[in-house]
Amino acid sequence: MPVDAESFKQALASWVSGVTIITSRHADHVHGMTVSAFSSVSLSPPLVMVCLDKVSNTLKLVEAAKVFSVNVLAQGQEELSQRFASKEHEDVRFEGLNCEQGTNGCPHIPGAVSTMDCRVLDTLDAGDHVIYIGEVRAAKFTDRPPLVYLRAVYRTLT
Ligand SMILES: Cc1cc2nc3c(=O)[nH]c(=O)nc-3n(C[C@H](O)[C@H](O)[C@H](O)COP(=O)(O)O)c2cc1C
């Protein structure tokens, strides 16, 4: 018997994570979503992974484009995290953002701690999500403090 959904969610919520916005571009279409299911995978070759909900619009774009960028959010970017998670603001997520374009054409979120431009190397079907393994082709970083997420609350490192 699998674990009940509530115990599973509560147990997962105690895992401290950062918050990313995964962006993608296919032709003139850009989109992005908030993702905490991000991890490093391999140093050589440089690989990362993200888990995207099968019903997400971002997944459709990543499927088509085979590229995505990881934007690690900084302390103070809670509003952007909420905006890129909200279905209400789905069509205006990039409004007012002066995004630079990554080496793979995907938008970079201004003020992010770091960005990684990836091309999809592999995918794994995983329940209601798909795991994307990305080969990191370019990375930029700053020393800004990152946004932290724990037990459904945004936190800051002290
Ligand atoms: C803090 C936070 C973390 C999230 N992490 C994930 C995640 O790892 N994977 C995922 O598929 N959705 C995650 N979501 C939910 C998506 O951001 C949300 O469903 C979004 O609306 C999907 O956008 P789209 O369908 O327009 O692509 C997260 C939301 C929040 C607020």
Side-chain angles (χ1 to χ4, degrees):
M1 275 284 283
V3 65
D4 68 277
E6 195 48 37
S7 306
F8 183 48
K9 278 187 196 162
Q10 295 294 339
L12 285 180
S14 59
W15 174 248
V16 180
S17 73
V19 185
T20 72
I21 292 177
I22 302 302
T23 57
S24 190
R25 172 189 297 273
H26 186 54
D28 331 343
H29 190 196
V30 293
H31 199 61
M33 70 188 261
T34 302
V35 167
S36 58
F38 160 78
S39 178
S40 58
V41 172
S42 160
L43 282 177
S44 181
L47 305 178
V48 295
M49 52 157 272
V50 292
C51 303
L52 304 186
D53 196 322
K54 283 179 181 169
V55 300
S56 69
N57 298 307
T58 306
L59 176 142
K60 294 185 192 93
L61 206 56
V62 173
E63 278 294 325
K66 304 290 183 213
V67 288
F68 63 88
S69 287
V70 180
N71 297 264
V72 176
L73 293 188
Q75 195 172 299
Q77 293 192 304
E78 294 89 335
E79 186 274 328
L80 278 179
S81 172
Q82 286 304 110
R83 193 202 300 188
F84 277 77
S86 158
K87 293 290 178 192
E88 262 176 61
H89 301 115
E90 201 173 299
D91 299 329
V92 291
R93 286 183 181 167
F94 289 94
E95 208 168 82
L97 292 180
N98 192 11
C99 293
E100 284 181 12
Q101 199 166 294
T103 55
N104 56 4
C106 302
H108 283 177
I109 301 295
V113 175
S114 59
T115 55
M116 284 160 262
D117 298 335
C118 305
R119 89 176 166 94
V120 174
L121 193 70
D122 215 343
T123 62
L124 181 65
D125 186 272
D128 52 12
H129 282 55
V130 175
I131 300 174
Y132 287 91
I133 307 287
E135 180 192 41
V136 182
R137 309 292 293 253
K140 287 197 297 188
F141 60 94
T142 69
D143 59 3
R144 291 181 193 121
L147 185 59
V148 174
Y149 196 65
L150 172 67
R151 299 203 170 97
V153 176
Y154 295 106
R155 301 172 193 259
T156 54
L157 291 173
T158 50

